Amino acid sequence: MDTPALLAVIAAASPRPKFSYMLLQLIAEIADERGSAGPNVTIDGRAVPVRDWLCDALVPMAQRDARRRLTVEAVRAELDEAKALPADRNEADRVIEDKVRERVRRSGRCNVSRAVSDLCKIGLLRRHYQGFRVDHQNRGAQREAVYTVTPEALVVLRRR
């Protein structure tokens, strides 16, 4: 398999092939020698769940998106209405950006999961969960995803 063949496989199976390819490439970059990434990635000395890291890494792709601008406006309006914005403009912008990042990450985790599901269906990626299981309706409680790029895809993605 080579890169054009990999792209063709992804394009045939994913409704968002560009996003899926970028996601697969990011996972391959942070994966260990066996192709596994997660459940955490160490950033500046702290552990971040791999899905959150992937969401944050893909944020620049959405910076110019109209929905992001609408989200910023909605967050600003909500915080302003609740009188939760600091008087200092820079501090207010930081608070707004933090809230927007939370929302983007929440929806981004769903987008990552959907793209991962597409990649798993076509055999380019495997997913399992690691962590603690607690008894309640969310079976995934306190467990985080671990992604493993298949050896065939890893060879293509790590080719230099």
Side-chain angles (χ1 to χ4, degrees):
M1 184 186 295
D2 59 3
T3 302
L6 178 69
L7 291 172
V9 168
I10 294 171
S14 175
R16 296 183 306 163
K18 292 176 190 174
F19 183 84
S20 295
Y21 177 75
M22 286 186 288
L23 184 70
L24 187 62
Q25 181 63 50
L26 286 169
I27 293 169
E29 285 181 22
I30 61 167
D32 62 18
E33 63 281 346
R34 294 182 331 262
S36 284
N40 294 308
V41 177
T42 304
I43 305 297
D44 298 327
R46 64 185 186 94
V48 176
V50 69
R51 278 193 298 183
D52 290 350
W53 181 83
L54 290 166
C55 292
D56 292 347
L58 290 165
V59 161
M61 300 305 295
Q63 290 293 351
R64 294 173 31 196
D65 187 64
R67 286 177 294 188
R68 181 171 173 80
R69 287 190 296 273
L70 291 173
T71 302
V72 170
E73 291 170 18
V75 167
R76 183 181 303 279
E78 289 170 15
L79 291 172
D80 196 34
E81 185 177 314
K83 304 219 183 309
L85 280 176
D88 178 46
R89 173 103 172 138
N90 291 333
E91 184 65 18
D93 288 344
R94 190 193 60 73
V95 168
I96 291 167
E97 186 57 34
D98 288 348
K99 294 289 185 189
V100 168
R101 188 176 308 112
E102 285 175 25
R103 287 187 186 189
V104 168
R105 187 179 276 176
R106 193 168 40 247
S107 66
R109 284 175 67 100
C110 294
N111 292 335
V112 165
S113 290
R114 273 190 227 107
V116 165
S117 292
D118 293 340
L119 294 167
C120 288
K121 285 177 192 170
I122 57 177
L124 297 175
L125 194 66
R126 288 187 302 275
R127 167 179 47 199
H128 73 275
Y129 295 91
Q130 188 173 319
F132 297 98
R133 182 179 168 275
V134 293
D135 292 330
H136 71 63
Q137 15 183 354
N138 177 4
R139 292 182 305 142
Q142 296 180 2
R143 297 188 307 158
E144 288 293 338
V146 176
Y147 305 122
T148 304
V149 181
T150 59
E152 302 80 27
L154 199 59
V155 167
V156 174
L157 295 166
R158 288 193 171 164
R159 201 175 280 157
R160 301 264 185 246

PDB file of all heavy atoms in Angstrom, residues 63-92:
ATOM      1  N   GLN A  63     -10.725  27.102  12.914  1.00  0.00           N
ATOM      2  CA  GLN A  63     -10.624  28.485  13.387  1.00  0.00           C
ATOM      3  C   GLN A  63     -11.422  29.468  12.534  1.00  0.00           C
ATOM      4  O   GLN A  63     -11.978  30.414  13.045  1.00  0.00           O
ATOM      5  CB  GLN A  63      -9.158  28.940  13.442  1.00  0.00           C
ATOM      6  CG  GLN A  63      -8.345  28.289  14.517  1.00  0.00           C
ATOM      7  CD  GLN A  63      -8.780  28.675  15.927  1.00  0.00           C
ATOM      8  OE1 GLN A  63      -9.590  29.556  16.137  1.00  0.00           O
ATOM      9  NE2 GLN A  63      -8.226  27.990  16.892  1.00  0.00           N
ATOM     10  N   ARG A  64     -11.454  29.243  11.234  1.00  0.00           N
ATOM     11  CA  ARG A  64     -12.154  30.172  10.358  1.00  0.00           C
ATOM     12  C   ARG A  64     -13.593  29.749  10.101  1.00  0.00           C
ATOM     13  O   ARG A  64     -14.315  30.399   9.365  1.00  0.00           O
ATOM     14  CB  ARG A  64     -11.396  30.280   9.037  1.00  0.00           C
ATOM     15  CG  ARG A  64     -10.037  30.921   9.238  1.00  0.00           C
ATOM     16  CD  ARG A  64      -9.154  30.917   8.027  1.00  0.00           C
ATOM     17  NE  ARG A  64      -9.876  30.986   6.773  1.00  0.00           N
ATOM     18  CZ  ARG A  64      -9.339  30.697   5.604  1.00  0.00           C
ATOM     19  NH1 ARG A  64      -8.094  30.324   5.529  1.00  0.00           N
ATOM     20  NH2 ARG A  64     -10.043  30.789   4.506  1.00  0.00           N
ATOM     21  N   ASP A  65     -13.989  28.665  10.692  1.00  0.00           N
ATOM     22  CA  ASP A  65     -15.329  28.139  10.505  1.00  0.00           C
ATOM     23  C   ASP A  65     -16.373  29.096  11.082  1.00  0.00           C
ATOM     24  O   ASP A  65     -16.206  29.609  12.190  1.00  0.00           O
ATOM     25  CB  ASP A  65     -15.409  26.765  11.189  1.00  0.00           C
ATOM     26  CG  ASP A  65     -16.718  26.070  10.906  1.00  0.00           C
ATOM     27  OD1 ASP A  65     -16.985  25.752   9.736  1.00  0.00           O
ATOM     28  OD2 ASP A  65     -17.462  25.865  11.873  1.00  0.00           O
ATOM     29  N   ALA A  66     -17.453  29.321  10.347  1.00  0.00           N
ATOM     30  CA  ALA A  66     -18.508  30.241  10.797  1.00  0.00           C
ATOM     31  C   ALA A  66     -19.152  29.755  12.097  1.00  0.00           C
ATOM     32  O   ALA A  66     -19.536  30.567  12.943  1.00  0.00           O
ATOM     33  CB  ALA A  66     -19.569  30.388   9.708  1.00  0.00           C
ATOM     34  N   ARG A  67     -19.246  28.428  12.269  1.00  0.00           N
ATOM     35  CA  ARG A  67     -19.837  27.904  13.505  1.00  0.00           C
ATOM     36  C   ARG A  67     -19.002  28.285  14.723  1.00  0.00           C
ATOM     37  O   ARG A  67     -19.545  28.540  15.793  1.00  0.00           O
ATOM     38  CB  ARG A  67     -19.973  26.384  13.423  1.00  0.00           C
ATOM     39  CG  ARG A  67     -21.093  25.940  12.503  1.00  0.00           C
ATOM     40  CD  ARG A  67     -21.125  24.468  12.399  1.00  0.00           C
ATOM     41  NE  ARG A  67     -19.885  24.059  11.717  1.00  0.00           N
ATOM     42  CZ  ARG A  67     -19.630  22.838  11.313  1.00  0.00           C
ATOM     43  NH1 ARG A  67     -20.476  21.879  11.546  1.00  0.00           N
ATOM     44  NH2 ARG A  67     -18.517  22.560  10.681  1.00  0.00           N
ATOM     45  N   ARG A  68     -17.691  28.327  14.564  1.00  0.00           N
ATOM     46  CA  ARG A  68     -16.835  28.723  15.691  1.00  0.00           C
ATOM     47  C   ARG A  68     -17.107  30.181  16.072  1.00  0.00           C
ATOM     48  O   ARG A  68     -17.200  30.509  17.243  1.00  0.00           O
ATOM     49  CB  ARG A  68     -15.366  28.522  15.365  1.00  0.00           C
ATOM     50  CG  ARG A  68     -14.475  28.908  16.550  1.00  0.00           C
ATOM     51  CD  ARG A  68     -13.038  28.511  16.315  1.00  0.00           C
ATOM     52  NE  ARG A  68     -12.168  29.001  17.338  1.00  0.00           N
ATOM     53  CZ  ARG A  68     -12.003  28.459  18.534  1.00  0.00           C
ATOM     54  NH1 ARG A  68     -12.667  27.388  18.853  1.00  0.00           N
ATOM     55  NH2 ARG A  68     -11.184  28.987  19.410  1.00  0.00           N
ATOM     56  N   ARG A  69     -17.228  31.033  15.072  1.00  0.00           N
ATOM     57  CA  ARG A  69     -17.524  32.435  15.367  1.00  0.00           C
ATOM     58  C   ARG A  69     -18.879  32.558  16.061  1.00  0.00           C
ATOM     59  O   ARG A  69     -19.030  33.355  16.994  1.00  0.00           O
ATOM     60  CB  ARG A  69     -17.478  33.268  14.083  1.00  0.00           C
ATOM     61  CG  ARG A  69     -16.049  33.483  13.583  1.00  0.00           C
ATOM     62  CD  ARG A  69     -15.972  34.508  12.468  1.00  0.00           C
ATOM     63  NE  ARG A  69     -16.679  34.099  11.255  1.00  0.00           N
ATOM     64  CZ  ARG A  69     -16.155  33.362  10.288  1.00  0.00           C
ATOM     65  NH1 ARG A  69     -14.940  32.922  10.379  1.00  0.00           N
ATOM     66  NH2 ARG A  69     -16.857  33.065   9.218  1.00  0.00           N
ATOM     67  N   LEU A  70     -19.854  31.780  15.628  1.00  0.00           N
ATOM     68  CA  LEU A  70     -21.163  31.793  16.285  1.00  0.00           C
ATOM     69  C   LEU A  70     -21.059  31.281  17.721  1.00  0.00           C
ATOM     70  O   LEU A  70     -21.727  31.809  18.620  1.00  0.00           O
ATOM     71  CB  LEU A  70     -22.166  30.950  15.497  1.00  0.00           C
ATOM     72  CG  LEU A  70     -22.595  31.512  14.143  1.00  0.00           C
ATOM     73  CD1 LEU A  70     -23.445  30.486  13.395  1.00  0.00           C
ATOM     74  CD2 LEU A  70     -23.347  32.813  14.315  1.00  0.00           C
ATOM     75  N   THR A  71     -20.223  30.283  17.940  1.00  0.00           N
ATOM     76  CA  THR A  71     -20.023  29.755  19.293  1.00  0.00           C
ATOM     77  C   THR A  71     -19.398  30.812  20.186  1.00  0.00           C
ATOM     78  O   THR A  71     -19.827  30.996  21.330  1.00  0.00           O
ATOM     79  CB  THR A  71     -19.138  28.490  19.262  1.00  0.00           C
ATOM     80  OG1 THR A  71     -19.759  27.517  18.426  1.00  0.00           O
ATOM     81  CG2 THR A  71     -18.946  27.917  20.651  1.00  0.00           C
ATOM     82  N   VAL A  72     -18.415  31.539  19.675  1.00  0.00           N
ATOM     83  CA  VAL A  72     -17.778  32.614  20.450  1.00  0.00           C
ATOM     84  C   VAL A  72     -18.820  33.667  20.818  1.00  0.00           C
ATOM     85  O   VAL A  72     -18.893  34.105  21.977  1.00  0.00           O
ATOM     86  CB  VAL A  72     -16.606  33.254  19.666  1.00  0.00           C
ATOM     87  CG1 VAL A  72     -16.113  34.522  20.345  1.00  0.00           C
ATOM     88  CG2 VAL A  72     -15.466  32.259  19.509  1.00  0.00           C
ATOM     89  N   GLU A  73     -19.645  34.056  19.860  1.00  0.00           N
ATOM     90  CA  GLU A  73     -20.683  35.055  20.132  1.00  0.00           C
ATOM     91  C   GLU A  73     -21.692  34.545  21.160  1.00  0.00           C
ATOM     92  O   GLU A  73     -22.108  35.293  22.057  1.00  0.00           O
ATOM     93  CB  GLU A  73     -21.393  35.440  18.836  1.00  0.00           C
ATOM     94  CG  GLU A  73     -20.518  36.224  17.880  1.00  0.00           C
ATOM     95  CD  GLU A  73     -21.152  36.393  16.503  1.00  0.00           C
ATOM     96  OE1 GLU A  73     -22.386  36.210  16.378  1.00  0.00           O
ATOM     97  OE2 GLU A  73     -20.409  36.714  15.564  1.00  0.00           O
ATOM     98  N   ALA A  74     -22.092  33.284  21.044  1.00  0.00           N
ATOM     99  CA  ALA A  74     -23.061  32.704  21.978  1.00  0.00           C
ATOM    100  C   ALA A  74     -22.482  32.629  23.390  1.00  0.00           C
ATOM    101  O   ALA A  74     -23.165  32.971  24.366  1.00  0.00           O
ATOM    102  CB  ALA A  74     -23.482  31.309  21.518  1.00  0.00           C
ATOM    103  N   VAL A  75     -21.239  32.218  23.514  1.00  0.00           N
ATOM    104  CA  VAL A  75     -20.594  32.128  24.827  1.00  0.00           C
ATOM    105  C   VAL A  75     -20.469  33.519  25.437  1.00  0.00           C
ATOM    106  O   VAL A  75     -20.760  33.721  26.617  1.00  0.00           O
ATOM    107  CB  VAL A  75     -19.216  31.434  24.723  1.00  0.00           C
ATOM    108  CG1 VAL A  75     -18.403  31.625  25.996  1.00  0.00           C
ATOM    109  CG2 VAL A  75     -19.386  29.962  24.418  1.00  0.00           C
ATOM    110  N   ARG A  76     -20.059  34.490  24.636  1.00  0.00           N
ATOM    111  CA  ARG A  76     -19.931  35.870  25.127  1.00  0.00           C
ATOM    112  C   ARG A  76     -21.281  36.373  25.640  1.00  0.00           C
ATOM    113  O   ARG A  76     -21.376  36.947  26.723  1.00  0.00           O
ATOM    114  CB  ARG A  76     -19.402  36.788  24.038  1.00  0.00           C
ATOM    115  CG  ARG A  76     -19.177  38.233  24.516  1.00  0.00           C
ATOM    116  CD  ARG A  76     -18.673  39.148  23.407  1.00  0.00           C
ATOM    117  NE  ARG A  76     -17.452  38.703  22.774  1.00  0.00           N
ATOM    118  CZ  ARG A  76     -16.235  38.892  23.265  1.00  0.00           C
ATOM    119  NH1 ARG A  76     -16.074  39.519  24.402  1.00  0.00           N
ATOM    120  NH2 ARG A  76     -15.179  38.469  22.611  1.00  0.00           N
ATOM    121  N   ALA A  77     -22.350  36.117  24.880  1.00  0.00           N
ATOM    122  CA  ALA A  77     -23.688  36.559  25.277  1.00  0.00           C
ATOM    123  C   ALA A  77     -24.136  35.874  26.564  1.00  0.00           C
ATOM    124  O   ALA A  77     -24.688  36.531  27.467  1.00  0.00           O
ATOM    125  CB  ALA A  77     -24.685  36.290  24.153  1.00  0.00           C
ATOM    126  N   GLU A  78     -23.905  34.555  26.673  1.00  0.00           N
ATOM    127  CA  GLU A  78     -24.292  33.817  27.887  1.00  0.00           C
ATOM    128  C   GLU A  78     -23.553  34.326  29.112  1.00  0.00           C
ATOM    129  O   GLU A  78     -24.157  34.532  30.177  1.00  0.00           O
ATOM    130  CB  GLU A  78     -24.019  32.324  27.703  1.00  0.00           C
ATOM    131  CG  GLU A  78     -24.952  31.648  26.738  1.00  0.00           C
ATOM    132  CD  GLU A  78     -24.501  30.239  26.389  1.00  0.00           C
ATOM    133  OE1 GLU A  78     -23.635  29.674  27.102  1.00  0.00           O
ATOM    134  OE2 GLU A  78     -25.013  29.698  25.391  1.00  0.00           O
ATOM    135  N   LEU A  79     -22.249  34.525  28.973  1.00  0.00           N
ATOM    136  CA  LEU A  79     -21.453  35.003  30.109  1.00  0.00           C
ATOM    137  C   LEU A  79     -21.820  36.446  30.468  1.00  0.00           C
ATOM    138  O   LEU A  79     -21.854  36.813  31.642  1.00  0.00           O
ATOM    139  CB  LEU A  79     -19.957  34.894  29.807  1.00  0.00           C
ATOM    140  CG  LEU A  79     -19.405  33.474  29.718  1.00  0.00           C
ATOM    141  CD1 LEU A  79     -17.962  33.496  29.217  1.00  0.00           C
ATOM    142  CD2 LEU A  79     -19.490  32.777  31.065  1.00  0.00           C
ATOM    143  N   ASP A  80     -22.094  37.237  29.441  1.00  0.00           N
ATOM    144  CA  ASP A  80     -22.494  38.628  29.682  1.00  0.00           C
ATOM    145  C   ASP A  80     -23.838  38.683  30.402  1.00  0.00           C
ATOM    146  O   ASP A  80     -24.015  39.443  31.363  1.00  0.00           O
ATOM    147  CB  ASP A  80     -22.556  39.379  28.350  1.00  0.00           C
ATOM    148  CG  ASP A  80     -22.579  40.881  28.534  1.00  0.00           C
ATOM    149  OD1 ASP A  80     -21.931  41.375  29.485  1.00  0.00           O
ATOM    150  OD2 ASP A  80     -23.234  41.569  27.715  1.00  0.00           O
ATOM    151  N   GLU A  81     -24.778  37.862  29.957  1.00  0.00           N
ATOM    152  CA  GLU A  81     -26.100  37.812  30.586  1.00  0.00           C
ATOM    153  C   GLU A  81     -26.005  37.352  32.041  1.00  0.00           C
ATOM    154  O   GLU A  81     -26.730  37.851  32.910  1.00  0.00           O
ATOM    155  CB  GLU A  81     -27.016  36.872  29.800  1.00  0.00           C
ATOM    156  CG  GLU A  81     -28.446  36.856  30.301  1.00  0.00           C
ATOM    157  CD  GLU A  81     -29.320  35.962  29.433  1.00  0.00           C
ATOM    158  OE1 GLU A  81     -29.228  36.077  28.198  1.00  0.00           O
ATOM    159  OE2 GLU A  81     -30.077  35.164  30.006  1.00  0.00           O
ATOM    160  N   ALA A  82     -25.110  36.401  32.291  1.00  0.00           N
ATOM    161  CA  ALA A  82     -24.934  35.890  33.654  1.00  0.00           C
ATOM    162  C   ALA A  82     -24.036  36.802  34.493  1.00  0.00           C
ATOM    163  O   ALA A  82     -23.767  36.503  35.651  1.00  0.00           O
ATOM    164  CB  ALA A  82     -24.343  34.487  33.610  1.00  0.00           C
ATOM    165  N   LYS A  83     -23.580  37.895  33.879  1.00  0.00           N
ATOM    166  CA  LYS A  83     -22.668  38.844  34.530  1.00  0.00           C
ATOM    167  C   LYS A  83     -21.426  38.123  35.065  1.00  0.00           C
ATOM    168  O   LYS A  83     -20.939  38.402  36.153  1.00  0.00           O
ATOM    169  CB  LYS A  83     -23.391  39.592  35.634  1.00  0.00           C
ATOM    170  CG  LYS A  83     -24.644  40.313  35.139  1.00  0.00           C
ATOM    171  CD  LYS A  83     -24.821  41.642  35.783  1.00  0.00           C
ATOM    172  CE  LYS A  83     -26.094  42.323  35.364  1.00  0.00           C
ATOM    173  NZ  LYS A  83     -26.381  42.451  33.971  1.00  0.00           N
ATOM    174  N   ALA A  84     -20.923  37.192  34.240  1.00  0.00           N
ATOM    175  CA  ALA A  84     -19.771  36.380  34.623  1.00  0.00           C
ATOM    176  C   ALA A  84     -18.497  36.787  33.890  1.00  0.00           C
ATOM    177  O   ALA A  84     -17.467  36.145  34.047  1.00  0.00           O
ATOM    178  CB  ALA A  84     -20.064  34.907  34.357  1.00  0.00           C
ATOM    179  N   LEU A  85     -18.572  37.865  33.108  1.00  0.00           N
ATOM    180  CA  LEU A  85     -17.387  38.330  32.398  1.00  0.00           C
ATOM    181  C   LEU A  85     -16.587  39.317  33.252  1.00  0.00           C
ATOM    182  O   LEU A  85     -17.155  40.247  33.819  1.00  0.00           O
ATOM    183  CB  LEU A  85     -17.768  39.023  31.093  1.00  0.00           C
ATOM    184  CG  LEU A  85     -18.091  38.130  29.914  1.00  0.00           C
ATOM    185  CD1 LEU A  85     -18.546  38.972  28.728  1.00  0.00           C
ATOM    186  CD2 LEU A  85     -16.890  37.294  29.540  1.00  0.00           C
ATOM    187  N   PRO A  86     -15.284  39.128  33.341  1.00  0.00           N
ATOM    188  CA  PRO A  86     -14.442  40.082  34.067  1.00  0.00           C
ATOM    189  C   PRO A  86     -14.449  41.444  33.368  1.00  0.00           C
ATOM    190  O   PRO A  86     -14.676  41.532  32.152  1.00  0.00           O
ATOM    191  CB  PRO A  86     -13.044  39.459  34.010  1.00  0.00           C
ATOM    192  CG  PRO A  86     -13.235  38.054  33.577  1.00  0.00           C
ATOM    193  CD  PRO A  86     -14.525  37.987  32.849  1.00  0.00           C
ATOM    194  N   ALA A  87     -14.177  42.473  34.120  1.00  0.00           N
ATOM    195  CA  ALA A  87     -14.158  43.827  33.562  1.00  0.00           C
ATOM    196  C   ALA A  87     -12.968  44.024  32.619  1.00  0.00           C
ATOM    197  O   ALA A  87     -13.072  44.738  31.624  1.00  0.00           O
ATOM    198  CB  ALA A  87     -14.120  44.861  34.675  1.00  0.00           C
ATOM    199  N   ASP A  88     -11.866  43.389  32.928  1.00  0.00           N
ATOM    200  CA  ASP A  88     -10.674  43.489  32.100  1.00  0.00           C
ATOM    201  C   ASP A  88     -10.910  42.763  30.769  1.00  0.00           C
ATOM    202  O   ASP A  88     -11.270  41.583  30.743  1.00  0.00           O
ATOM    203  CB  ASP A  88      -9.477  42.863  32.838  1.00  0.00           C
ATOM    204  CG  ASP A  88      -8.215  42.886  32.001  1.00  0.00           C
ATOM    205  OD1 ASP A  88      -7.913  43.941  31.413  1.00  0.00           O
ATOM    206  OD2 ASP A  88      -7.546  41.829  31.928  1.00  0.00           O
ATOM    207  N   ARG A  89     -10.719  43.460  29.675  1.00  0.00           N
ATOM    208  CA  ARG A  89     -11.003  42.918  28.333  1.00  0.00           C
ATOM    209  C   ARG A  89     -10.170  41.668  28.033  1.00  0.00           C
ATOM    210  O   ARG A  89     -10.680  40.689  27.504  1.00  0.00           O
ATOM    211  CB  ARG A  89     -10.743  44.010  27.292  1.00  0.00           C
ATOM    212  CG  ARG A  89     -10.831  43.538  25.872  1.00  0.00           C
ATOM    213  CD  ARG A  89     -12.115  43.977  25.268  1.00  0.00           C
ATOM    214  NE  ARG A  89     -12.088  43.671  23.846  1.00  0.00           N
ATOM    215  CZ  ARG A  89     -13.108  43.182  23.230  1.00  0.00           C
ATOM    216  NH1 ARG A  89     -14.228  42.977  23.871  1.00  0.00           N
ATOM    217  NH2 ARG A  89     -13.049  42.912  21.953  1.00  0.00           N
ATOM    218  N   ASN A  90      -8.882  41.698  28.367  1.00  0.00           N
ATOM    219  CA  ASN A  90      -8.008  40.554  28.102  1.00  0.00           C
ATOM    220  C   ASN A  90      -8.436  39.332  28.917  1.00  0.00           C
ATOM    221  O   ASN A  90      -8.437  38.205  28.411  1.00  0.00           O
ATOM    222  CB  ASN A  90      -6.549  40.887  28.400  1.00  0.00           C
ATOM    223  CG  ASN A  90      -5.987  41.876  27.400  1.00  0.00           C
ATOM    224  OD1 ASN A  90      -6.438  41.952  26.258  1.00  0.00           O
ATOM    225  ND2 ASN A  90      -4.998  42.643  27.824  1.00  0.00           N
ATOM    226  N   GLU A  91      -8.783  39.568  30.169  1.00  0.00           N
ATOM    227  CA  GLU A  91      -9.240  38.477  31.031  1.00  0.00           C
ATOM    228  C   GLU A  91     -10.578  37.926  30.521  1.00  0.00           C
ATOM    229  O   GLU A  91     -10.797  36.715  30.513  1.00  0.00           O
ATOM    230  CB  GLU A  91      -9.364  38.956  32.480  1.00  0.00           C
ATOM    231  CG  GLU A  91      -9.746  37.873  33.460  1.00  0.00           C
ATOM    232  CD  GLU A  91      -8.691  36.783  33.613  1.00  0.00           C
ATOM    233  OE1 GLU A  91      -7.529  36.986  33.237  1.00  0.00           O
ATOM    234  OE2 GLU A  91      -9.061  35.706  34.107  1.00  0.00           O
ATOM    235  N   ALA A  92     -11.459  38.802  30.078  1.00  0.00           N
ATOM    236  CA  ALA A  92     -12.753  38.369  29.531  1.00  0.00           C
ATOM    237  C   ALA A  92     -12.546  37.524  28.285  1.00  0.00           C
ATOM    238  O   ALA A  92     -13.191  36.474  28.120  1.00  0.00           O
ATOM    239  CB  ALA A  92     -13.621  39.582  29.210  1.00  0.00           C
TER     240      ALA A  92
END
